[in-house]
Amino acid sequence: MTLSSRTKEAIKTALAMTIAYGVALSMDWPNPHWAGFAVAAISLSTVGQSLNKGVMRMLGTLLAAAFSLTLIALFPQDRWLFFAVLSAYVGYCTYRMAASKHQYFWHVAGFVAVIVCVGSIPPTDGAFNAAILRILETGLGILSYTLVTVLLWPNNTQQELEASVHRLAATQHELYRHYRKLLGGEGEAEDTRGLRMQEVQQFNQFKKALAAARTDSYEVWEVRRQWQHAQEQAAELMETLEQWRESFAEARDLNLKELLPDLDALAEELAARLEEIERMLGGESPERFPRAMELPWNREAIGSLTHFEKAALAVTRNRLLKLEAITRSLFETIADIKGVGPASAQTLEVSAPRPRFVLDLDRLAAGFRVVLGLWLAYLLWIYTDIPGDTAFVIMVAPFGMAIANMPMVPLMALFVPAVVGVGFAGLLYIFVMPQQSGFGELGALIFAVVFIICYLFH
């Protein structure tokens, strides 16, 4: 019998969850759900993605445990200073998470510290045991899922990587076509908003798939430098396309075809390159190779322009020349990866170093909101009889950090899934759990429930 991919993934996650609970309960560990959380968090569609996320979760847990034990040792009797340092640390993790390629590491490092620290109020010897147990059970969950996914229907990320970059190339090609129309006075910039959002999402998928494919695919590992360079070029192309679009307002009143006589030829060349890049990523050989293009301007026509118009023309020309260089370089990189063209020297260049520190106000605001939420929950817990005790404060950290990293998702969009999830689990807890005895029945329930959830929401 041939099983579908959604059935296989549901079986793997359910089996790993059951094994993790079984081992944790057999060791008499007090919080076996921590191992279950680890399985749920890293259960992704390929081995590489799961391994990468598992490593990030383990490293984040280790950092959080070290920080928590140090903080508890430094401020065992001063609850205000204790929580001030803890909340500042979580704010810092939120700030780093928003721009780091290891987002999940900072997410775990932040909320696990809150779990250990707030769960140990007042500070006691149990804080050390809680930190060690968190490490052990996280490691158990990661090990359980890793063994299952490696031994049972393993699959690598190479196909997903190629599919994600192909989708991104198609979207960037489509955006370029729309922007050419905008430059000619057709349509509105708002018409491309959906495509721009799609481009950002697909680029993030490309980054994640590449990080995973380097781990579980030898073919990708062999050309990892070229793939990394392609990722940087795709990001630069995305940024340059956006900058080009923003310059249209100033250049729209100019007669660009007269001022830049080769404009149409360059525009057609750029469109052809993007089409050939899309073709190569789709598994076909290119029908043509790029030819070098310049964009001279009509000096006689420029003489009649105002200084402002000359500046607008220069900006538009520079954006087009930058697009010419990026698309040519990206074509050569993809051709090198696919083995359909000569290796490009540019694919092995090291990117220019970026500034070490630039304060990002949006990320700073996101960190501040998480810190403010923690303090509000902390004060409510101290001065009111809030349900849930320390769990109320603890839950603010993981959800607050996750929401800060997804500003495009409305907060109310999370409310219905949370209510449905709590209601479903509550029914099982009230009506099914009391009827069970022994891990045989509990394990069967865990397997069945996790399988159903993973199958339905694959």
Side-chain angles (χ1 to χ4, degrees):
M1 182 176 63
T2 302
L3 299 177
S4 65
S5 61
R6 89 187 305 173
T7 303
K8 291 177 181 178
E9 294 304 318
I11 290 174
K12 288 196 290 186
T13 305
L15 181 59
M17 186 77 74
T18 306
I19 292 172
Y21 266 98
V23 173
L25 289 171
S26 69
M27 300 292 289
D28 201 25
W29 288 344
N31 295 301
H33 56 274
W34 286 350
F37 283 153
V39 171
I42 71 168
S43 58
L44 300 175
S45 58
T46 64
V47 175
Q49 289 176 327
S50 298
L51 289 176
N52 281 348
K53 198 168 185 182
V55 169
M56 291 300 104
R57 189 174 182 91
M58 194 71 237
L59 293 177
T61 300
L62 290 172
L63 174 61
F67 171 82
S68 302
L69 295 177
T70 303
L71 183 61
I72 291 170
L74 291 175
F75 308 110
Q77 300 299 327
D78 192 335
R79 65 182 180 182
W80 299 116
L81 192 56
F82 171 84
F83 199 76
V85 176
L86 174 61
S87 59
Y89 167 80
V90 174
Y92 174 75
C93 289
T94 305
Y95 181 88
R96 290 296 304 273
M97 179 180 68
S100 172
K101 65 179 181 179
H102 302 307
Q103 292 182 348
Y104 193 61
F105 166 80
W106 291 107
H107 189 192
V108 174
F111 78 75
V112 171
V114 176
I115 291 173
V116 176
C117 289
V118 177
S120 302
I121 294 177
T124 63
D125 294 339
F128 178 80
N129 292 332
I132 296 303
L133 274 173
R134 182 78 195 194
I135 294 171
L136 289 174
E137 296 193 28
T138 297
L140 171 61
I142 293 170
L143 180 62
S144 298
Y145 188 80
T146 300
L147 288 176
V148 170
T149 197
V150 168
L151 298 176
L152 195 62
W153 302 305
N155 54 345
N156 64 40
T157 323
Q158 184 178 1
Q159 290 183 347
E160 183 173 333
L161 169 64
E162 293 177 350
S164 65
V165 70
H166 187 216
R167 290 192 297 267
L168 175 61
T171 300
Q172 290 182 328
H173 188 192
E174 184 67 20
L175 271 174
Y176 174 76
R177 285 197 291 262
H178 279 282
Y179 289 170
R180 278 189 66 184
K181 293 179 181 179
L182 282 176
L183 186 61
E186 302 177 30
E188 297 292 335
E190 190 62 26
D191 298 340
T192 64
R193 179 178 176 82
L195 271 177
R196 283 182 274 139
M197 293 294 293
Q198 183 176 312
E199 181 189 28
V200 173
Q201 293 172 350
Q202 289 171 346
F203 179 74
N204 289 333
Q205 291 169 358
F206 174 30
K207 286 200 302 183
K208 293 177 181 178
L210 177 55
R214 284 199 299 252
T215 302
D216 64 16
S217 172
Y218 179 73
E219 291 80 3
V220 175
W221 174 258
E222 282 186 308
V223 288
R224 62 192 181 281
R225 292 186 179 88
Q226 287 89 334
W227 273 115
Q228 182 63 39
H229 201 64
Q231 177 186 306
E232 295 168 1
Q233 290 166 333
E236 192 175 3
L237 177 58
M238 181 168 60
E239 181 180 352
T240 305
L241 283 171
E242 186 64 16
Q243 292 172 346
W244 185 41
R245 181 187 66 83
E246 291 173 351
S247 70
F248 291 168
E250 290 78 13
R252 184 167 288 180
D253 296 331
L254 299 177
N255 188 350
L256 292 176
K257 292 185 179 180
E258 179 185 357
L259 297 168
L260 302 171
D262 292 345
L263 177 60
D264 285 342
L266 176 60
E268 291 299 327
E269 173 66 19
L270 293 178
R273 290 178 189 177
L274 291 171
E275 184 177 351
E276 292 301 326
I277 289 171
E278 192 178 346
R279 185 192 305 278
M280 287 188 291
L281 291 170
E284 301 178 30
S285 298
E287 295 181 352
R288 64 187 297 277
F289 287 84
R291 55 190 180 92
M293 295 287 295
E294 296 181 357
L295 193 59
W297 41 33
N298 186 341
R299 297 191 178 276
E300 294 179 1
I302 289 175
S304 61
L305 300 179
T306 65
H307 290 296
F308 180 81
E309 290 172 333
K310 289 179 180 178
L313 177 64
V315 169
T316 300
R317 179 176 179 270
N318 288 339
R319 297 282 184 264
L320 287 166
L321 289 176
K322 190 173 181 182
L323 283 174
E324 192 278 334
I326 295 169
T327 53
R328 177 158 37 88
S329 179
L330 180 58
F331 182 100
E332 293 171 353
T333 303
I334 299 301
D336 190 9
I337 291 172
K338 294 295 184 178
V340 295
S344 169
Q346 295 184 17
T347 59
L348 301 181
E349 289 178 359
V350 178
S351 300
R354 297 180 179 179
R356 290 189 176 181
F357 179 77
V358 177
L359 189 64
D360 189 315
L361 295 181
D362 290 334
R363 292 160 55 198
L364 193 64
F368 177 76
R369 285 194 293 270
V370 174
V371 171
L372 189 63
L374 278 172
W375 271 100
L376 180 61
Y378 187 62
L379 294 174
L380 284 172
W381 172 64
I382 290 177
Y383 293 110
T384 66
D385 189 18
I386 198 81
D389 198 41
T390 56
F392 175 74
V393 183
I394 289 171
M395 293 308 293
V396 172
F399 286 116
M401 294 179 73
I403 293 168
N405 200 37
M406 298 183 295
M408 74 294 293
V409 178
L411 186 59
M412 290 304 295
L414 305 178
F415 182 73
V416 173
V419 170
V420 172
V422 170
F424 174 68
L427 291 174
L428 292 176
Y429 188 78
I430 294 171
F431 296 108
V432 180
M433 291 283 288
Q435 311 303 321
Q436 295 187 320
S437 60
F439 183 74
E441 296 179 3
L442 176 62
L445 176 66
I446 292 172
F447 184 92
V449 170
V450 174
F451 176 87
I452 291 171
I453 291 172
C454 292
Y455 186 86
L456 291 178
F457 300 99
H458 176 66

